[in-house]
C-alpha cells in the first residue's frame, strides 16, 4: 500500500461534478417523496378506502382480527383436506399438459377457499362481506400465494449448492 492508503494501480477518485451531485440529490428526493406518498396512500386505503370500495363492513378491529384468525385456521384445515384431491388430480392429469393440472388445482383451491370465506362470513356477525368482495379477496389471496416463492421448494433446487456465476 502507498502512503495515501490506496493500493497501487487504482486511479484517483475524481470529485463529483455539480451536475452529478444535483442528479443524485434529485433522485434521492424523488425517491423519498414517492415513499411518503405510497405510505400515506396505503394508510388511507387501509383504514377507509379499501374496505369501503370492497363493501366490507365491520363492527370493530377486534372482529376483523378474529375474522383473519378464523381464516388462518380454516386455511390450515383446508390445506390438509385438499391433499387427497390434489394427489388424485395429479394422478388423473399425469399425461396432460402441466398447465391443465395447474388450472384445475387452482380452480379447486379457489372453490374451497371461497366456500371457507363465505361460511366464516356467515358465522361471524361482526364482519359483513359482499359476494363480490369474497371472490375478490380469495382471488387476491390465491395470487399472492402463487406469486410468493416457497422456501421449501427452493431448497430442493439448491441441493448441490447455490448457482455459480455473477448475480
Amino acid at each position: 500500500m502507498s502512503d495515501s492508503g490506496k493500493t497501487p494501480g487504482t486511479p484517483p477518485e475524481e470529485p463529483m461534478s455539480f451536475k452529478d451531485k444535483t442528479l443524485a440529490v434529485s433522485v434521492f428526493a424523488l425517491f423519498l417523496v414517492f415513499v411518503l406518498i405510497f405510505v400515506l396512500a396505503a394508510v388511507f386505503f387501509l383504514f377507509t378506502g379499501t374496505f369501503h370500495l370492497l363493501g366490507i363492513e365491520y363492527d370493530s378491529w377486534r372482529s376483523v382480527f378474529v375474522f383473519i384468525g378464523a381464516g388462518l385456521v380454516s386455511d390450515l384445515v383446508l390445506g390438509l383436506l385438499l391433499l387427497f384431491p390434489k394427489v388424485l388430480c395429479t394422478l388423473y392429469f399425469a399425461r396432460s399438459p402441466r398447465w391443465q393440472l395447474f388450472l384445475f388445482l387452482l380452480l379447486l383451491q379457489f372453490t374451497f377457499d371461497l366456500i371457507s370465506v363465505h361460511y366464516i362470513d356467515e358465522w361471524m356477525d361482526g364482519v359483513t362481506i359482499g359476494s363480490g368482495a369474497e371472490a375478490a379477496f380469495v382471488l387476491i389471496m390465491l395470487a399472492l400465494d402463487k406469486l410468493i416463492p416457497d422456501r421449501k421448494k427452493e431448497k430442493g433446487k439448491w441441493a448441490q449448492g447455490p448457482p455459480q456465476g455473477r448475480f
Side-chain angles (χ1 to χ4, degrees):
M1 287 191 107
S2 64
D3 293 336
S4 66
K6 298 197 183 265
T7 57
T10 58
E13 292 183 26
E14 296 180 16
M16 290 179 68
S17 68
F18 181 74
K19 181 180 175 184
D20 292 337
K21 288 179 185 178
T22 305
L23 181 66
V25 169
S26 299
V27 168
F28 185 71
L30 284 174
F31 177 74
L32 286 178
V33 167
F34 176 74
V35 168
L36 181 66
I37 289 172
F38 179 77
V39 168
L40 290 175
V43 167
F44 171 74
F45 282 115
L46 178 67
F47 289 117
T48 58
T50 304
F51 288 144
H52 182 69
L53 288 175
L54 292 176
I56 299 173
E57 298 174 9
Y58 57 93
D59 294 339
S60 66
W61 280 104
R62 180 179 167 269
S63 60
V64 171
F65 289 128
V66 170
F67 183 84
I68 292 171
L72 291 174
V73 170
S74 172
D75 188 44
L76 178 69
V77 171
L78 280 178
L80 294 174
L81 290 176
L82 276 174
L83 284 177
F84 184 68
K86 282 183 179 182
V87 169
L88 286 178
C89 290
T90 304
L91 293 174
Y92 182 75
F93 286 109
R95 296 187 189 268
S96 299
R98 292 178 59 100
W99 65 269
Q100 284 180 344
L101 174 65
F102 176 76
L103 285 178
F104 189 76
L105 290 176
L106 195 66
L107 180 65
L108 189 68
Q109 181 86 31
F110 175 77
T111 304
F112 274 80
D113 286 347
L114 187 61
I115 291 170
S116 171
V117 168
H118 178 73
Y119 278 116
I120 292 171
D121 180 36
E122 292 297 319
W123 171 67
M124 289 192 64
D125 293 331
V127 178
T128 305
I129 302 177
S131 299
E134 287 177 359
F137 177 73
V138 170
L139 282 175
I140 290 169
M141 290 298 115
L142 277 176
L144 289 176
D145 184 44
K146 297 301 178 192
L147 292 177
I148 296 175
D150 189 11
R151 297 288 180 199
K152 294 175 194 169
K153 292 178 185 176
E154 287 183 10
K155 285 183 182 178
K157 292 180 188 175
W158 289 33
Q160 294 87 16
Q164 300 298 322
R166 295 176 61 184
F167 288 103

